[in-house]
Amino acid sequence: MGKNKVLLLDGNSLAYRAFFALPLLTNEHGIHTNSVYGFTMMLQKILDEEQPTHMLVAFDAGKTTFRHTTFGEYKGGRQKTPPELSEQFPYLRKLLTAYQIPQYELSMFEADDIIGTLSKQAEAQGQEVIIVSGDKDLTQLSSDTTTVYITRKGITDMEKYTPAHIQEKYGITPNQIIDMKGLMGDSSDNIPGVPGVGEKTALKLLVEHHSVDGVYEAIDQLKGKLKEKLEANEEQAKMSKVLATIETEAPITIGLDDLSYQGPDMDQVIKIWQELAFKSLLEKTTYAQVEEAKSEITFTQLTEITEEHLSDEMAVHLELYDEQYHTADMLGIALVDDKHAYFIKVEDAFASESFRTWLADDSKKKRLVDSKASLAAFHRNDVLLDGVEFDFVLAAYIVNPAITSDDVAVLSREFGYGDVFTNEQVYGKGAKKSVPSDAELGEHIVRKAMAVWNLRTIMDNKLKDNEQYELYQDLELPLATILGKMESDGVKVDRQTLVDIGEDLAGKLTEIEQTIYHAAGETFNINSPKQLGVILFEKLGLPALKKTKTGYSTAADVLEKLEGKHEVISHILLFRQLGKLQSTYIEGLLKEIHTDDGKIHTRYQQALTQTGRLSSTNPNLQNIPVRLEEGRKIRKAFVPSQPGWILFAADYSQIELRVLAHMSDDEELIDAFRNDLDIHTKTAMDVFHVEAEAVTSDMRRAAKAVNFGIVYGISDYGLSQNLSITRKEAAEFIDRYLKSFPGVKQYMDDIVHDAKQKGFVTTILNRRRYLPDITSSNFNLRGFAERTAMNTPIQGSAADIIKKAMIDMAARLEKDNLQAKMLLQVHDELIFEAPPEEIAILEKIVPEVMEHAIELKVPLKVDYAYGPTWYDTK
DNA sequence: GAGATCACG
DNA sequence: ACGTACGTGATCTCC
């Protein structure tokens, strides 16, 4: 052999390190992947940096080794391997096979011994060796030609142990590592050593006496407790040294010649990465391979679309340059069916009369990536779109809301279709992002349309298998069009009102700022929790009640507890409150008002939340202040789009608790809602065992918190935090609640049990959420999953109900030929604008439609209000 | 880009 | 013993 580089990896040790260094990731089938992922990251890095010519991953063969004949309790008391890790070993083995890296294990020996034996063989031939492990024991193998890499924090950060490094760090030679272990032992392997001797003492002894034997030869020079301890444990020390010694002449049946490494079989590696959903690795490092894997496509670039190009059913893809489709550049359009593939520039497409007619014709069926985005973008050019029968993004979301990517390439690959490039591959990212040549762009867009064309059947089948086809077809798909119209219509915002409030705030903020600086005795950045913490808890000496990862917590609930202790606290709270209004709601909203129409056009993300709710972005119109009066004034800026019109808002009363009553079938709760009782008062009566007249406002407040807790998946700790009571008192409240509502208790138990059985929970309309962590042995993760199992059917069913109501409402407005428009949705409320003469009609039909969107075992109740601004709809 | 904070349901 | 309320998005600081 010539100049080679031999890389020897300790498979078990590295798999363990990766497992504990990373959170418990899972793929969509609920298989844990964190260990394999971490191992892969490390492997990629080391292959990259070291370019080895020979490789081996050594594994432990089983529980019993030759060391157990020396010491029966070797590695005793060790926690058994967590099942979340055990299940990953087969995948790790498969992955290594794909990398074409030899693996080896030997009965009765540990991975260490295989590595030790091979490293000595390589050394004898003068080869360079690199050993990688998470176990410092291996450093005893370090030599002039062998370097031992030990993982530090995380998984890709390694400390390199050469003899010089060991000398510097410990003051001993690699050989003496075993003497050190003999004296100090190793709790993780249950090697006893000499009790009372730790690393420092062991090293001191070794510097003077060189070895375990040397220490005992010189035992008479020692004195006191140390001498006694050493004398009492001589046998044990010598045995411990033997246990810690790595075997370098294990009877292995492979040699260096068997380790030659040629590089990975990337096709196989990618297949496994896909199976395990290693998305970042797939995107980052496999550009070349992914590109190679694409099939050839052909397409025609058109300059005009005529009837001959169009058929009764096609995939249509409008490519946008960024996700903000209300303003994004339109880059091109692709049209694809079984026989055709066209690319056309947007101007040419819009200039084609046949195309516009075809797009607006609902009898011509279209398959799209994201129908709402296309609809909104077309709308900007007064181009209509109808006849959408497939929306890939929505279908994927319904199949599994955990699939979060919005890139067609990534999404397609999730469902087995790999012929699309990622946007990053085509456009680049960050400052380098740019539009490529027409040919390249056209291909990219056509590939997306082809994906959508081909994925329709696959997705339809999945949806039908899951009994989710109706949810998708009759709820989400029509809702996309409705939301698209709401977004495009937008909501009118009076700029001057915001500016006026902003000026008022600016004055107050400057004043409070000065007061705070004066109280603190210096100026500092009040917006910096770090600087504020120093002022409050060090300079002013206030008690730090709570800590965050990075330092003192200065969150509002902490400061409120300090309010009596120093006058500055209330000023800080007010500064925070007003500062939030200024930056997020005054400045933030002003930036979002479109200059052409004076309106704000939010985007509803329909395929994002894990529960089925919508979310609202750019800006978020679902969190406009309402709870405090100062903030609520912001709503005065939200006005009707036409002079004299009125805003009309309707919200569901207690929809989540009503859903709970329905799903749990709890008699008491059902009864309460059928009789339209005040549910928090009713809860207070049951929890505090009092009559309605005796319920105080504090009791009602506590009962309200209990009801929230029930919906969130209750825990005594959470409730105790919320109510500032002891955990025991909180537990007592919960206990009494569950005794009063036994059906609820039964439901909570059943839903968690059910989730463990099936791996997912469902809503009234069969929306799913997978909960892979619900069987985790990690207390924390399992707890989260259990609370999610309790909460998601409630929150998600409420979302189902209002979505259905929106569809019914849109149909009703159209059927009754009303001018009224649905503008906003805020989880349990709908906001409309209408001419004054239609208000009386809305008062009748809005509650009627919303209350009967879905029939539950209890009535749904809707409250409404109207006025000249959003502020007045209370 | 992450963490802290705070706005909403 | 463990260490938490469920679901979001925007802004600010600091690395």
Side-chain angles (χ1 to χ4, degrees), chain A residues 609-675:
Chain A
T609 71
Q610 299 305 298
T611 55
R613 275 188 175 182
L614 301 175
S615 93
S616 158
T617 58
N618 297 114
N620 181 355
L621 293 184
Q622 291 182 320
N623 71 346
I624 302 302
V626 68
R627 290 173 191 169
L628 299 172
E629 177 58 25
E630 289 97 321
R632 191 172 203 151
K633 291 202 165 69
I634 303 278
R635 296 185 172 217
K636 291 185 191 227
F638 288 78
V639 296
S641 63
Q642 305 194 44
W645 279 34
I646 308 284
L647 288 181
F648 183 100
D651 68 291
Y652 283 109
S653 164
Q654 307 295 354
I655 188 167
E656 293 193 336
L657 287 172
R658 285 171 200 263
V659 166
L660 175 63
H662 172 83
M663 308 219 334
S664 68
D665 231 333
D666 183 276
E667 276 184 49
E668 279 284 306
L669 208 50
I670 288 178
D671 228 47
F673 282 121
R674 284 187 181 158
N675 292 310

Side-chain angles (χ1 to χ4, degrees), chain A residues 436-697:
Chain A
S437 68
D438 271 9
E440 211 177 315
L441 177 70
E443 179 181 341
H444 184 48
I445 302 176
V446 168
R447 281 183 184 277
K448 286 187 180 182
M450 285 175 166
V452 174
W453 179 260
N454 284 299
L455 280 157
R456 185 198 167 184
T457 316
I458 296 169
M459 299 310 293
D460 276 6
N461 288 338
K462 280 205 185 265
L463 290 162
K464 283 173 184 160
D465 287 350
N466 288 357
E467 298 184 314
Q468 293 183 301
Y469 193 73
E470 287 74 22
L471 170 65
Y472 157 78
Q473 182 74 28
D474 301 338
L475 194 87
E476 299 293 353
L477 203 52
L479 183 66
T481 302
I482 292 166
L483 290 171
K485 284 181 183 148
M486 287 165 63
E487 295 175 13
S488 295
D489 285 345
V491 53
K492 179 96 172 171
V493 175
D494 184 63
R495 177 176 286 275
Q496 194 56 47
T497 307
L498 288 179
V499 170
D500 290 347
I501 299 174
E503 281 171 7
D504 185 42
L505 284 173
K508 287 181 179 164
L509 281 166
T510 322
E511 201 176 307
I512 302 166
E513 194 182 7
Q514 292 310 316
T515 314
I516 292 171
Y517 292 157
H518 183 73
E522 64 182 290
T523 61
F524 64 102
N525 189 340
I526 308 168
N527 280 325
S528 163
K530 198 176 158 193
Q531 294 181 36
L532 180 61
V534 172
I535 296 285
L536 294 180
F537 305 118
E538 290 175 18
K539 185 159 182 188
L540 299 180
L542 291 164
L545 301 174
K546 205 167 86 179
K547 273 193 272 185
T548 66
K549 280 181 210 162
T550 50
Y552 309 112
S553 170
T554 66
D557 61 326
V558 175
L559 297 188
E560 276 160 20
K561 294 196 172 92
L562 297 171
E563 265 201 289
K565 307 226 183 216
H566 199 287
E567 46 167 11
V568 77
I569 299 291
S570 58
H571 296 302
I572 289 167
L573 286 167
L574 189 59
F575 182 87
R576 283 248 182 94
Q577 188 198 325
L578 302 184
K580 178 87 175 182
L581 295 178
Q582 184 76 299
S583 63
T584 304
Y585 296 103
I586 301 295
E587 291 164 7
L589 285 178
L590 282 170
K591 273 184 239 160
E592 299 286 351
I593 300 174
H594 287 221
T595 43
D596 52 347
D597 60 4
K599 287 175 170 183
I600 285 181
H601 302 268
T602 186
R603 277 183 306 124
Y604 290 104
Q605 304 247 110
Q606 200 186 346
L608 183 143
T609 71
Q610 299 305 298
T611 55
R613 275 188 175 182
L614 301 175
S615 93
S616 158
T617 58
N618 297 114
N620 181 355
L621 293 184
Q622 291 182 320
N623 71 346
I624 302 302
V626 68
R627 290 173 191 169
L628 299 172
E629 177 58 25
E630 289 97 321
R632 191 172 203 151
K633 291 202 165 69
I634 303 278
R635 296 185 172 217
K636 291 185 191 227
F638 288 78
V639 296
S641 63
Q642 305 194 44
W645 279 34
I646 308 284
L647 288 181
F648 183 100
D651 68 291
Y652 283 109
S653 164
Q654 307 295 354
I655 188 167
E656 293 193 336
L657 287 172
R658 285 171 200 263
V659 166
L660 175 63
H662 172 83
M663 308 219 334
S664 68
D665 231 333
D666 183 276
E667 276 184 49
E668 279 284 306
L669 208 50
I670 288 178
D671 228 47
F673 282 121
R674 284 187 181 158
N675 292 310
D676 200 22
L677 301 184
D678 176 326
I679 193 64
H680 300 318
T681 303
K682 157 75 180 154
T683 305
M685 289 162 62
D686 289 326
V687 170
F688 295 105
H689 299 307
V690 295
E691 294 301 311
E693 301 73 39
V695 173
T696 65
S697 64

Side-chain angles (χ1 to χ4, degrees), chain A residues 490-494 634-650 820-824 829-836 838-839 842-843 846 864-874:
Chain A
V491 53
K492 179 96 172 171
V493 175
D494 184 63
I634 303 278
R635 296 185 172 217
K636 291 185 191 227
F638 288 78
V639 296
S641 63
Q642 305 194 44
W645 279 34
I646 308 284
L647 288 181
F648 183 100
K821 277 185 174 145
M822 191 152 58
L823 296 179
L824 299 170
E829 68 176 317
L830 296 175
I831 292 116
F832 304 82
E833 64 175 10
E838 288 184 4
I839 291 298
L842 291 186
E843 286 187 272
V846 173
Y864 65 88
Y866 54 88
T869 76
W870 195 1
Y871 177 86
D872 304 295
T873 61
K874 56 175 181 179

Side-chain angles (χ1 to χ4, degrees), chain A residues 656-814:
Chain A
E656 293 193 336
L657 287 172
R658 285 171 200 263
V659 166
L660 175 63
H662 172 83
M663 308 219 334
S664 68
D665 231 333
D666 183 276
E667 276 184 49
E668 279 284 306
L669 208 50
I670 288 178
D671 228 47
F673 282 121
R674 284 187 181 158
N675 292 310
D676 200 22
L677 301 184
D678 176 326
I679 193 64
H680 300 318
T681 303
K682 157 75 180 154
T683 305
M685 289 162 62
D686 289 326
V687 170
F688 295 105
H689 299 307
V690 295
E691 294 301 311
E693 301 73 39
V695 173
T696 65
S697 64
D698 269 353
M699 286 157 83
R700 188 177 181 278
R701 191 176 59 86
K704 190 173 173 179
V706 173
N707 278 327
F708 270 102
I710 293 294
V711 169
Y712 292 159
I714 196 109
S715 81
D716 50 8
Y717 183 86
L719 183 64
S720 73
Q721 289 295 299
N722 191 288
L723 284 176
S724 294
I725 57 176
T726 67
R727 209 168 141 161
K728 212 176 147 193
E729 288 166 326
E732 177 73 10
F733 280 4
I734 293 166
D735 193 47
R736 283 199 242 156
Y737 178 95
L738 293 174
K739 281 208 172 74
S740 306
F741 301 98
V744 174
K745 165 122 178 71
Q746 187 67 45
Y747 165 77
M748 295 297 180
D749 292 347
D750 289 350
I751 197 80
V752 170
H753 182 256
D754 201 44
K756 283 188 176 145
Q757 295 289 305
K758 296 199 299 225
F760 60 86
V761 290
T762 56
T763 66
I764 288 181
L765 295 186
N766 226 8
R767 192 183 301 283
R768 278 189 189 192
R769 181 175 186 179
Y770 290 88
L771 300 168
D773 288 342
I774 201 144
T775 53
S776 169
S777 58
N778 181 315
F779 176 90
N780 226 347
L781 291 174
R782 194 178 61 248
F784 265 118
E786 287 173 355
R787 291 196 295 277
T788 309
M790 297 186 245
N791 173 262
T792 295
I794 301 173
Q795 191 183 116
S797 297
D800 291 350
I801 292 169
I802 194 162
K803 282 179 167 178
K804 174 68 164 38
M806 291 171 77
I807 291 169
D808 294 349
M809 239 1 273
R812 185 64 180 268
L813 291 177
E814 189 172 334

Side-chain angles (χ1 to χ4, degrees), chain A residues 40-80:
Chain A
T40 311
M41 297 293 286
M42 184 214 66
L43 195 59
Q44 286 288 120
K45 187 176 175 203
I46 206 139
L47 286 174
D48 222 39
E49 287 177 2
E50 306 296 347
Q51 309 274 336
T53 58
H54 292 69
M55 278 191 84
L56 178 89
V57 179
F59 286 98
D60 298 341
K63 278 187 184 158
T64 320
T65 68
F66 73 92
R67 289 185 178 83
H68 288 86
T69 56
T70 309
F71 182 52
E73 285 119 87
Y74 178 66
K75 294 205 170 175
R78 234 187 212 199
Q79 293 262 316
K80 82 166 206 266

